[in-house]
Amino acid sequence: MPESLHDDFMKLALEQAQHAWDLGEVPVGAVVVKDGVVIATGYNQPIGKHDPTAHAEIVALRAAAEVLGNYRLPGCELYVTLEPCVMCSGAMMHARVAKIVYGAPDPKTGACGSVVNLFEQEQLNHHAQVTGGVLADACADLLKRFFAARRAQVAAARRAAAGSAQ
């Protein structure tokens, strides 16, 4: 796929990530593409939905499965702003996603090469093509700004609590 299309789909994933931020969720967004057409989107919602599986990728995979009427998603590509974790990578494997394209690497929980690469495990029965680093700076910047804002809110709340205690 031409690099500009990768960028275009990742920009859509970044828009989804902004929806997560707007709800106070960690800003990760995902887009599922089939034959060059976006068929589903998703963004992080585990806090609001009280669902530890409501990562952007899982939300997008569920929506894509509904659209196609099949839990298998052969020929589909998943674009996500942050390198998928083990749970999300496992779901992509079970769905038979053909290609995963991610933005920023995740050195703490990344399962597409940063910590482990599930898609390179020969023992596993499905192997998707993985491409990382698409709009990585923009994806990482969104996360950095979110966590900086969150730290600032916590610090302000502590200062306010300390001031009212006097």
Side-chain angles (χ1 to χ4, degrees):
M1 180 168 291
E3 190 171 309
S4 63
L5 277 180
H6 280 324
D7 289 357
D8 290 345
F9 291 134
M10 191 60 72
K11 286 176 185 172
L12 292 174
L14 279 163
E15 289 175 14
Q16 291 298 307
Q18 185 61 53
H19 292 313
W21 184 336
D22 294 344
L23 296 172
E25 303 273 1
V26 175
V28 177
V31 174
V32 178
V33 175
K34 176 136 175 93
D35 301 323
V37 176
V38 173
I39 63 167
T41 61
Y43 53 87
N44 264 4
Q45 301 175 63
I47 298 166
K49 289 191 177 282
H50 309 291
D51 179 356
T53 70
H55 288 194
E57 301 95 304
I58 303 292
V59 173
L61 289 171
R62 288 176 179 156
E66 286 291 324
V67 167
L68 297 180
N70 189 349
Y71 76 103
R72 298 281 197 214
L73 304 175
C76 288
E77 301 171 355
L78 189 141
Y79 289 78
V80 61
T81 57
L82 181 65
E83 180 181 358
C85 68
V86 170
M87 174 185 69
C88 293
S89 295
M92 288 179 234
M93 261 183 220
H94 286 291
R96 304 297 190 260
V97 170
K99 185 172 188 176
I100 294 100
V101 180
Y102 68 87
D106 186 343
K108 293 183 180 180
T109 64
C112 293
S114 289
V115 176
V116 65
N117 190 337
L118 289 184
F119 297 99
E120 287 183 349
Q121 299 299 312
E122 290 182 25
Q123 307 91 320
L124 298 174
N125 65 337
H126 180 68
H127 303 260
Q129 181 183 351
V130 177
T131 301
V134 174
L135 298 183
D137 290 342
C139 293
D141 182 62
L142 184 67
L143 288 160
K144 286 176 187 169
R145 288 187 294 114
F146 172 81
F147 286 112
R150 183 178 270 181
R151 284 189 299 275
Q153 287 174 331
V154 168
R158 285 186 183 144
R159 283 192 302 275
S164 67
Q166 292 180 8

